[in-house]
Amino acid sequence: MLEHTKKKEIEIAYFGLLEEYHNKKLGSYLLSMAIKKSFENKINRVWLHTCSLDHKNALNNYISRGMNIFKTETVII
């Protein structure tokens, strides 16, 4: 996690699980703990990036933990 001290924000730069840990509820638990620990440190905002390469349930996990979609963009490589 990256801390943006001046803005009191935490950025989760990379969040994911190895395939052998999928469908074991570990993603929801780990994300919940990361968010909880961030706010215990008096942070105003926790945010992360996601992309189409994430697991099909990743976005639902983020939304279920109280996160909102801030911006979407399409990048052609």
Side-chain angles (χ1 to χ4, degrees):
M1 290 192 296
L2 303 173
E3 185 173 345
H4 300 272
T5 308
K6 291 180 183 177
K7 293 183 178 182
K8 293 189 171 185
E9 296 181 350
I10 294 286
E11 176 185 3
I12 300 174
Y14 298 97
F15 183 81
L17 301 173
L18 296 172
E19 192 170 333
E20 62 258 32
Y21 297 106
H22 288 186
N23 301 313
K24 297 181 186 216
K25 307 250 185 240
L26 292 171
S28 58
Y29 173 77
L30 292 171
L31 184 58
S32 292
M33 289 298 103
I35 293 169
K36 180 181 177 184
K37 291 292 183 186
S38 296
F39 284 112
E40 285 175 357
N41 290 312
K42 306 212 184 327
I43 293 298
N44 295 327
R45 178 179 176 225
V46 178
W47 57 286
L48 60 84
H49 297 270
T50 187
C51 73
S52 61
L53 299 175
D54 279 351
H55 187 273
K56 64 181 181 176
N57 295 328
L59 186 57
N60 287 334
N61 183 22
Y62 307 149
I63 292 169
S64 294
R65 307 275 106 34
M67 296 186 154
N68 299 305
I69 297 172
F70 177 76
K71 180 174 97 173
T72 61
E73 63 184 351
T74 302
V75 177
I76 299 172
I77 299 175

